[in-house]
Amino acid sequence: MLLSERQHVLSYNGELLVFQLSKTKHVEGAADKTVKLCVRRMAFDRDTQLFVQMSSGAFSMRTKHSEAEIVCCDCATHSKTGIVLPCVLMKVKKQNGVFEHLLLLLHSSNWFEQCCHFKLDYELKEDVRLFAGPSVLWRHANKLFYISADTCTVLSAPVQLSSVVWTGEIEGEGTVVLGIRAACLPESEDGDEFSTSDRAIWGSEFFGYAIEMQKMLTGTCFMPHAYSRVVSSVCVCKNERPKKQLRISAVAITHKNQLICFQDGVPKGVCELPYEKPCLIKTAVTSSNDLLFIVSFSSGNVCVVRRENLQVTSKWQKVKSVLVDDFIGSGTEQLLLLFNDDSNADVLNMFKIMDFGKINYESGINYKDDVPAAEGLQENGLLTIQALETRLQAGLTCVRELQQHLGLKKRVILESCRALIDLVEGRSHILPSAKKEGLVSLWDDVEKPYSVSKEPSSTPKLQGHFIEKLWQRVVGDNLVVGVKLTESFCLSVHDISLSLVMDQDFSLVSPIIECRNKIIKVNEVFSALSVSSCQIEPPQKKMKLDLRSKNDLKKEFHKRSSRTQLDKTNTVTAVTNLSPLLAFHRVCCAVLLHAKKQKRRNGDFLKSKRITLFCGKILLNMEDISNGKYSVNMLKDNSYCTGSMEDIVAILTVSIRFSFQIQSSDCTLTRVNSWLLGEMDCVPFKECHDMVFSHKAGDIYGTVFSWTLKSPFEGVLTLFCRSLTVLFQCLHSLTRVLPPSCDVKLLKSGSKGILTEQLALALEKEMFTSRSFLSSKESKAENNLTRWNEPGRKISDPPVASLLDSEDGVQHFREKLQNEQEQCVLSMNETMDEENNQTIVPEL
């Protein structure tokens, strides 16, 4: 029996599987001979830099006067377990010309499982492929045949084809075969009218066939039909179905010695291959995340092409096989090249492992005796250098273009800033020509000065109508710039913000200063806290709950009203980081105010107009900062804090605001005020008594508090602190004062939201209370009306009967009923007040 001595090598999970048919001696007197399929599992040892055998196995079968051969081997998914396992297809030729085929599955224990057995009267030679199942696919007499381990029956696809260029999985379609066949022309086309050039192009076409679903797919989603005459092998790199549309990224090699990339059926790039007759293409993703195309040629040559630039990176000759796997266990793929070695029968005698990065292992190749190999290595080095030079030149060109583009952007922004400053200050400004910068002007490019008005600038006059004061403060590492606006101006505009623009001509720095804006209503920012925390209640109930007399209540209300009406002006602030500005030692900044001006016509608001106004300039230098000219001064003076309103606004601007609702079911909250004045060492502001400033040493110094009592059992504590660390310190100190029964709840930020939420809760409570007390009265009234409207029943009450005789009488009856309901509400409030007065309230 003649046995093939050829070894088949397969990579599986980083290991090498070497399959080989062994020779066996014929036993005298025995009619059969034994054929053994042996397998060796080899793993790469990084210490010895050699492949060592880990385990082995064998599969034996008896034959009579026959020849055995390994057709092919590959990895395929086992349909029963879903695990990818190595598969081997064997062929045994009988004396009667029949070919018997065995499909074997190799398990991890080196046990061979025979999963399929079939016979053919011809030899498998053309386009034999193994795929999931495991299954076998082949081409014979321009027909496509396949058999699966599940059915063990040879099936034929209803297609005629000349070659199979790819077999693999497509999302939503299963296993798909991409083949080439004669072009199927439309029936309406006449062959004589079809031009010679069209016949050359459409003489053949691509087609796809889904084996499991048994349906045809359009070949143009892979590549145009015009390439079907030259393509020899295809590799699908990626396929997906976004929005139920199939998108395919593929690469193909042609008989014209070219490698072509396709995206959704459109060619995207081409590379000239260094050798003739390319036959197979594989892909690999290396540790540097580079996608490589490995092309094998019929002559035993191999080359590698990078997807990034479609250039040949390396090439080798006398290569027996090329495999792709993680052979060294690094987590990424490497290339394994097995070279021909006539002096040694071991297929792993000469090899090379590489990923075109840090990984590079090779066996003991004698480069002195092998001159062609040395020349090939030198040529590979030149090709690599050329590819790197090309990538470097492309990168430098891209960097230069980006630098030019950024420089142009910078010059346009600087010129725009200069024009804006000149515009708001009323100075003339000459616009540069757009042609000098290589730009296209959107208006008439005439170099003439542009000014706001021919008359002298009216900016100082205009400032007096909307600005009361421009100030600046330094708080920590922040610069706070504030603009105090008049009440009339605030009523006519909205969406207000500030911008800081450096007045100096810095060519390397953008004049626009990044800052964040806040709008603070002086005094109203404090009184809003107390207003938002008050519930809307009936006057009688409110007086009883406050435990005060009418005179005291009137005095307190008058104080709050006068304090709220002291000042209704708004202050707009801009905060920026101070450190970058100190690098210039002396900085002059223009302060610009942006707003939307509301237009009215017949009492209705029209579309707002965006305006920009010049507020003035601020000067900043190291000497003034060192002398504390712009520092915030908060000193004690006769139980008050001497800070000005600008100092208060500056602290509130850079601080973070938190509001907490504190409720107690069995104790009053009088000790919270003692905690603020005692442990927190707080002193009220002289300008605003609602807020207190903490003089406690440490991180808490500078924290601003506001404590508003909503009732003896409920209040709102608002903190303005520098950081969350300070907040946690204050809360930790507060919890030691409050009893365990107190409930502390964080309120959402924003005074309008708090006011709306509190008002809705108060109205909801009143509504439920009123409805419960009025239900009896309403039911009684409905019963009376029902009795009055009963058929055949006369109204016995003469006054009521007389009222219901006319429309005016019915209206008078409704008013009488409404008065009774109001009296019911008043009696309900008196009842609740008597119960509250009888409650004994302990103090903290």
Side-chain angles (χ1 to χ4, degrees), residues 441-562:
S441 178
L442 298 180
W443 56 83
D444 295 335
D445 200 359
V446 180
E447 293 188 4
K448 60 180 182 180
Y450 174 81
S451 62
V452 180
S453 175
K454 294 182 180 179
E455 299 178 358
S457 174
S458 60
T459 302
K461 298 180 181 180
L462 188 61
Q463 290 179 3
H465 294 291
F466 69 92
I467 295 178
E468 289 190 6
K469 189 175 184 180
L470 173 65
W471 52 268
Q472 65 194 77
R473 291 293 185 276
V474 174
V475 184
D477 195 29
N478 296 308
L479 172 66
V480 182
V481 179
V483 177
K484 188 176 180 181
L485 306 176
T486 60
E487 181 182 359
S488 59
F489 180 77
C490 293
L491 294 176
S492 62
V493 296
H494 62 96
D495 195 8
I496 308 173
S497 62
L498 291 181
S499 294
L500 303 180
V501 182
M502 287 191 293
D503 201 11
Q504 290 94 328
D505 189 7
F506 297 112
S507 59
L508 299 178
V509 180
S510 174
I512 302 176
I513 300 174
E514 182 181 0
C515 55
R516 57 187 185 273
N517 287 267
K518 275 189 178 181
I519 301 177
I520 298 179
K521 295 182 179 182
V522 181
N523 286 335
E524 285 192 1
V525 72
F526 313 128
S527 60
L529 297 173
S530 59
V531 172
S532 64
S533 61
C534 294
Q535 293 187 0
I536 307 301
E537 298 175 346
Q540 297 87 350
K541 182 179 178 181
K542 179 66 182 175
M543 290 170 60
K544 295 289 184 179
L545 289 177
D546 286 346
L547 303 177
R548 296 171 179 172
S549 63
K550 293 184 178 180
N551 295 330
D552 295 338
L553 188 65
K554 289 182 179 179
K555 291 179 181 179
E556 180 64 23
F557 180 77
H558 177 71
K559 289 180 181 179
R560 289 191 176 185
S561 299
S562 61

Side-chain angles (χ1 to χ4, degrees), residues 272-289:
E272 294 292 334
L273 299 177
Y275 304 111
E276 295 182 353
K277 296 181 180 180
C279 59
L280 184 63
I281 182 171
K282 296 181 180 180
T283 61
V285 180
T286 62
S287 57
S288 57
N289 204 24

Side-chain angles (χ1 to χ4, degrees), residues 115-225:
C115 55
C116 187
H117 173 267
F118 60 97
K119 295 181 180 180
L120 299 173
D121 57 357
Y122 55 87
E123 185 178 3
L124 294 182
K125 290 183 177 180
E126 299 175 331
D127 297 329
V128 182
R129 309 288 176 94
L130 301 179
F131 59 95
S135 305
V136 185
L137 178 142
W138 69 92
R139 180 176 59 88
H140 178 70
N142 291 335
K143 291 184 179 181
L144 185 65
F145 299 92
Y146 58 93
I147 183 173
S148 174
D150 298 330
T151 60
C152 292
T153 303
V154 177
L155 302 175
S156 176
V159 293
Q160 294 282 334
L161 73 164
S162 58
S163 65
V164 175
V165 293
W166 178 78
T167 303
E169 298 286 332
I170 293 293
E171 183 178 353
E173 303 294 345
T175 303
V176 174
V177 178
L178 179 62
I180 300 174
R181 65 179 179 182
C184 299
L185 302 178
E187 296 181 357
S188 60
E189 291 286 345
D190 189 358
D192 295 334
E193 296 179 359
F194 212 67
S195 65
T196 305
S197 59
D198 289 336
R199 284 183 180 273
I201 296 175
W202 299 104
S204 60
E205 64 179 0
F206 291 106
F207 76 95
Y209 180 73
I211 294 178
E212 288 88 350
M213 306 183 70
Q214 297 184 359
K215 71 174 185 178
M216 302 295 294
L217 301 178
T218 304
T220 52
C221 61
F222 293 88
M223 58 196 72
H225 293 307

Side-chain angles (χ1 to χ4, degrees), residues 585-638:
H585 188 71
R586 181 182 177 86
V587 179
C588 181
C589 295
V591 182
L592 306 180
L593 185 140
H594 312 278
K596 287 185 179 180
K597 190 173 182 62
Q598 298 175 346
K599 293 184 177 180
R600 283 178 176 265
R601 179 180 296 176
N602 299 329
D604 297 330
F605 284 102
L606 300 178
K607 186 177 179 181
S608 302
K609 179 183 178 182
R610 191 74 181 175
I611 60 174
T612 300
L613 302 174
F614 178 70
C615 302
K617 294 183 179 182
I618 60 171
L619 220 59
L620 195 68
N621 55 62
M622 281 294 299
E623 185 176 354
D624 292 341
I625 295 175
S626 302
N627 295 332
K629 182 178 179 180
Y630 305 114
S631 300
V632 174
N633 297 317
M634 295 292 179
L635 302 176
K636 290 183 180 181
D637 183 17
N638 296 328

